[in-house]
Amino acid sequence: MKEILRDLDKAFENKIRLALMSALVVNDYLDFNTLKELLDVTDGNLASHLRHLENQHYITFTKTFLDRKPNTRYQATDAGKIAFERHIRAIEKLLE
């Protein structure tokens, strides 16, 4: 049981961060507005959760311009994908 609990990652305890990683793991990347609409959160709320995952090195971002408008795209890092998959496997084991 201790091994299972050890694999749970505090970064994903929040439902918004869990949903963020779920979306980013199955997509190559998603932009800020798409994530905002998908998760139905405010700009500030989304930015704060994205920053938390960035600080953990679980996601990265790229800023570009589309028709003179800024566009920020986010993607899960390899470390983020591994941590997320470990977290999900731990939840599955707990449910068995």
Side-chain angles (χ1 to χ4, degrees), residues 7 9 12 58 78-88:
D7 285 341
D9 193 321
F12 308 125
Y58 289 167
D78 289 340
K81 290 175 184 177
I82 291 167
F84 184 72
E85 289 170 11
R86 184 181 308 127
H87 181 79
I88 295 301

Side-chain angles (χ1 to χ4, degrees), residues 50-65:
L50 287 166
R51 173 73 60 189
H52 183 83
L53 292 171
E54 286 172 40
N55 290 340
Q56 297 294 317
H57 305 286
Y58 289 167
I59 65 170
T60 188
F61 66 92
T62 306
K63 290 186 177 266
T64 59
F65 286 89

Side-chain angles (χ1 to χ4, degrees), residues 15-75:
K15 69 179 184 176
I16 294 172
R17 289 194 295 268
L18 182 68
L20 268 171
M21 282 305 290
S22 296
L24 292 174
V25 165
V26 298
N27 290 284
D28 290 336
Y29 63 86
L30 292 171
D31 66 36
F32 186 89
N33 288 328
T34 301
L35 287 168
K36 182 180 153 186
E37 289 175 25
L38 180 67
L39 302 174
D40 193 28
V41 294
T42 64
D43 287 3
N45 196 359
L46 179 58
S48 134
H49 290 294
L50 287 166
R51 173 73 60 189
H52 183 83
L53 292 171
E54 286 172 40
N55 290 340
Q56 297 294 317
H57 305 286
Y58 289 167
I59 65 170
T60 188
F61 66 92
T62 306
K63 290 186 177 266
T64 59
F65 286 89
L66 296 174
D67 297 325
R68 297 184 182 210
K69 293 180 184 179
N71 180 276
T72 306
R73 297 186 334 180
Y74 294 88
Q75 63 187 46

